[in-house]
Amino acid sequence: MRFRSSTFLVLVLMLLTASLAAGQQPQTAAASKTRIVLSGTGNPGPDPDRSGPATAIVVNDTAYLVDFGPGVVRRASAAFPDKGIKPLEPTKLRIAFVTHLHSDHTVGYSDLIFTPWTIGRRVPLEVYGPKGLRAMTEHLLEAYRVDIETRTNADGNQRGFPEGHNVNAHEISPGVVYKDANVTVTAFATKHAMESYDYRFDTSDRSIVISGDTNPAQETIDACRGCDVLIHEANTPAWLATRPDTFQRFAAKYHTTTTQLAELARQAKPRLLILYHYSGLSREELFDDMLAHYAGPFVIGRDLDVY
Ligand SMILES: [Zn+2]
Ligand SMILES: [Zn+2]
């Protein structure tokens, strides 16, 4: 489904108006050193147009992934030839953060561990996330023991770089969890069915917050507070009304409606709100519902959009 051209126009005008009102040029990916690549905006349902949740923050020559849903390596690698974003070339994927351990955010983990290695990544993967990440990592490596042994024995074609499938799994708590010359990454506890975090990235030119799955959280507002970009999940009330009672009760505690997101964004005041990991009756219904409740600049993310 696509936007009607009229809704595109409304959105463009909104973005221009907001930027000009602030006395600045509209912020574009080209004008910014830090780029956001929506490498997966999808849900558990296997929609071929929307890969599982994964977002790449790209700074200079390094990509930082948040979540690794199904299809993560293939979708990220599509940004390399299609959009010219070299740090998303698979062998360069080496740093990732996970918001929580639900399967729709993590079934791409073995893909992220093994696919880049088989084509030449030489260094271990560094992964940050909640408690349970270390055990998940150990179990995955054990599950693929036959593959690893075969690839690294005397006949193995990865024996020249045996470290590339290793993972350093870092279990985190709220606060600064990662820092290098490009980024400082801060984790904020969120409200989901298990230990969960959103992540704020601060770079030399941008501040970006990614929600993961959560009920509206004061921590997300605190994480953003006028940030450049807030990337947040959302479901429309009309879509939720079509779901089974058990999911409606679950979503009321652990996810965010468009109405709630509008209120949260009014307090968080991002310069741009990007919806991802969303569901609506249709793309237009989702867009119109947000437009009815939120006057700030927002977009409905699509896979491989770059901001
Ligand atoms: Zn979840
Ligand atoms: Zn999810």
Side-chain angles (χ1 to χ4, degrees):
M1 274 164 277
R2 298 187 177 282
F3 283 125
R4 291 182 305 244
S5 56
S6 59
T7 50
F8 259 133
L9 187 60
V10 168
L11 181 59
V12 169
L13 287 172
M14 283 170 59
L15 283 168
L16 279 171
T17 306
S19 301
L20 295 174
Q24 296 173 0
Q25 294 298 311
Q27 188 172 26
T28 64
S32 177
K33 281 197 294 188
T34 303
R35 289 170 293 179
I36 300 164
V37 182
L38 302 182
S39 44
T41 65
N43 293 317
D47 180 344
D49 294 328
R50 295 177 63 202
S51 200
T55 308
I57 309 299
V58 180
V59 192
N60 298 320
D61 60 355
T62 306
Y64 306 84
L65 282 175
V66 177
D67 285 337
F68 22 80
V72 57
V73 173
R74 275 162 172 72
R75 200 62 119 209
S77 70
F80 168 48
D82 293 1
K83 311 266 176 171
I85 299 177
K86 290 181 186 167
L88 286 176
E89 190 273 313
T91 62
K92 292 192 163 60
L93 300 175
R94 59 182 184 82
I95 303 169
F97 302 82
V98 60
T99 59
H100 65 298
L101 298 183
H102 259 150
S103 57
D104 55 318
H105 296 250
T106 55
V107 294
Y109 195 11
S110 49
D111 189 17
L112 187 60
I113 295 171
F114 293 105
T115 305
W117 177 47
T118 61
I119 58 171
R121 185 181 61 210
R122 288 163 186 269
V123 298
L125 195 60
E126 304 289 335
V127 186
Y128 299 79
K131 277 181 272 311
L133 176 64
R134 211 168 280 151
M136 178 182 272
T137 306
E138 287 166 4
H139 290 308
L140 280 174
L141 291 172
E142 178 58 21
Y144 282 87
R145 188 165 50 85
V146 172
D147 173 88
I148 293 167
E149 285 175 0
T150 311
R151 291 180 188 279
T152 54
N153 68 19
D155 285 334
N157 56 344
Q158 271 79 45
R159 68 183 184 281
F161 41 101
E163 292 296 304
H165 73 280
N166 284 342
V167 183
N168 295 316
H170 308 267
E171 294 185 346
I172 63 167
S173 46
V176 173
V177 297
Y178 181 90
K179 193 172 172 53
D180 66 15
N182 291 325
V183 296
T184 300
V185 183
T186 311
F188 292 78
T190 51
K191 294 180 177 169
H192 197 45
M194 59 178 77
E195 183 180 345
S196 60
Y197 295 98
D198 60 30
Y199 292 103
R200 174 175 166 125
F201 284 73
D202 286 284
T203 74
S204 64
D205 62 331
R206 290 176 106 180
S207 52
I208 300 156
V209 175
I210 303 170
S211 73
D213 289 2
T214 181
N215 211 222
Q218 181 61 44
E219 287 80 358
T220 307
I221 297 169
D222 294 340
C224 177
R225 292 211 180 280
C227 60
D228 291 312
V229 183
L230 171 61
I231 304 169
H232 206 290
E233 66 133 300
N235 299 308
T236 69
W239 176 81
L240 279 168
T242 68
R243 308 314 296 162
D245 288 350
T246 47
F247 184 76
Q248 290 191 37
R249 280 196 294 276
F250 180 87
K253 287 168 72 175
Y254 298 127
H255 287 290
T256 301
T257 67
T258 39
T259 324
Q260 290 171 324
L261 179 57
E263 178 54 35
L264 182 144
R266 273 193 287 279
Q267 296 181 52
K269 296 183 172 45
R271 293 187 64 203
L272 177 64
L273 171 66
I274 300 175
L275 275 65
Y276 86 134
H277 202 33
Y278 48 77
S279 291
L281 294 177
S282 68
R283 208 178 154 77
E284 289 184 351
E285 188 263 341
L286 176 65
F287 182 83
D288 291 345
D289 189 59
M290 276 307 293
L291 195 59
H293 294 101
Y294 185 59
F298 74 91
V299 292
I300 312 291
R302 290 170 301 196
D303 282 24
L304 295 178
D305 280 351
V306 181
Y307 291 96

